[in-house]
Amino acid sequence: MNPALWFKYAALNLRSGLKGFYILLTCLTLGVAAIAIIGSLTSAIERGLAEQGQPLLGGDIEFSLIQREASNDEAAYIAKQGVVSRIATLRAMATSTGRSTLVEIKAVDSAYPLYGQFTLADAKTLPLILSENNTVAVDDLLLGRLGLKIGDTIKLGSVDLRVGGVITTEPDRIADGIILGPRIVMSHEALKATALVQP
C-alpha cells in the first residue's frame, strides 16, 4: 500500500479530533496492565513453587500407582533412589452414632512427612497417635459431621477406630488433588484391619 494513502486515511480519521483515541488508549492501558499482572502472578507462583515445592508435594519425586501396590522389584528400585515414604489413599464411608459420611483415607508410614510439618490440635505427634492400636487422626470437619470428640470411635470398613487427634496442618494436602470428604490419617496396619483394600 502507498504510504501517502496511509496518511490520507489517518487525516480523514483525525477530522473529528482526538476523541476516538480515548477508546484506543483505554484498550492499550488495560492490555498492558493485564500483561503486567499475569507476568507478576506467574513469577510469584514460580517463586512459591521453588521455595515451597517440597512441602507441597511431600517429597522430591512422587511415584503413583492406581489400584495396586508397588511390586517387590518396583519397591526395591524406588528405595534405591533415597528416603522413601509409602502412602495409600482411598475413599470410604465412615459411620458413627447413626450418621455416615464420605471420607478420604490416607495411610502413612513412620517416615511421613518427608518435608513440612504435620501438626495436630492437641500438641500430640502423628507417630505417637499412629503407634496406638487402631487410632487415627481426623479432620475437624469429620467431628462436626458425625458429632464426635477426641476419644470417640468411628466404624470404617470392618473395624472401629478411635479418634486420637485433630489435624491442623497437612503439608502435602494440595498434592492430593480434589478431596471430596474429611481426611482420616492412619497407619498401614490400621488400613489393613479395615479390610477395605480388596482384590
Side-chain angles (χ1 to χ4, degrees):
M1 184 181 253
N2 189 346
L5 194 56
W6 293 352
F7 287 114
K8 182 179 179 182
Y9 282 128
L12 288 172
N13 286 325
L14 286 172
R15 282 187 305 177
S16 60
L18 297 177
K19 292 180 182 178
F21 276 99
Y22 292 128
I23 295 173
L24 175 64
L25 291 175
T26 302
C27 291
L28 284 175
T29 304
L30 290 174
V32 170
I35 291 170
I37 289 170
I38 290 170
S40 62
L41 180 62
T42 302
S43 62
I45 290 171
E46 288 175 351
R47 186 172 61 251
L49 288 175
E51 294 173 358
Q52 297 294 323
Q54 290 172 325
L56 291 175
L57 181 61
D60 294 311
I61 300 172
E62 178 179 308
F63 295 90
S64 181
L65 296 170
I66 306 297
Q67 297 183 357
R68 72 176 182 91
E69 293 188 55
S71 66
N72 291 335
D73 290 340
E74 291 168 338
Y77 172 78
I78 295 169
K80 289 179 184 176
Q81 309 310 310
V83 180
V84 176
S85 177
R86 185 170 60 102
I87 298 172
T89 59
L90 67 148
R91 294 184 180 98
M93 294 298 292
T95 59
S96 182
T97 63
R99 302 182 193 175
S100 62
T101 187
L102 180 69
V103 294
E104 297 275 350
I105 298 171
K106 178 186 270 188
V108 300
D109 58 13
S110 59
Y112 175 83
L114 295 178
Y115 294 101
Q117 294 293 321
F118 188 99
T119 58
L120 299 164
D122 49 7
K124 289 183 180 178
T125 63
L126 184 63
L128 177 65
I129 287 178
L130 298 187
S131 66
E132 300 174 18
N133 191 32
N134 290 345
T135 302
V136 297
V138 302
D139 196 336
D140 186 47
L141 183 61
L142 182 66
L143 300 182
R145 285 189 183 176
L146 297 182
L148 301 171
K149 61 183 183 302
I150 300 294
D152 288 346
T153 61
I154 55 174
K155 187 171 185 62
L156 202 60
S158 59
V159 71
D160 289 328
L161 302 168
R162 189 177 74 83
V163 176
V166 178
I167 302 166
T168 55
T169 305
E170 184 183 349
D172 58 339
R173 187 179 183 96
I174 195 170
D176 292 336
I178 298 172
I179 296 177
L180 300 178
R183 173 76 79 201
I184 296 180
V185 177
M186 62 178 64
S187 66
H188 286 284
E189 292 75 18
L191 177 59
K192 186 176 181 180
T194 64
L196 290 171
V197 179
Q198 297 289 341

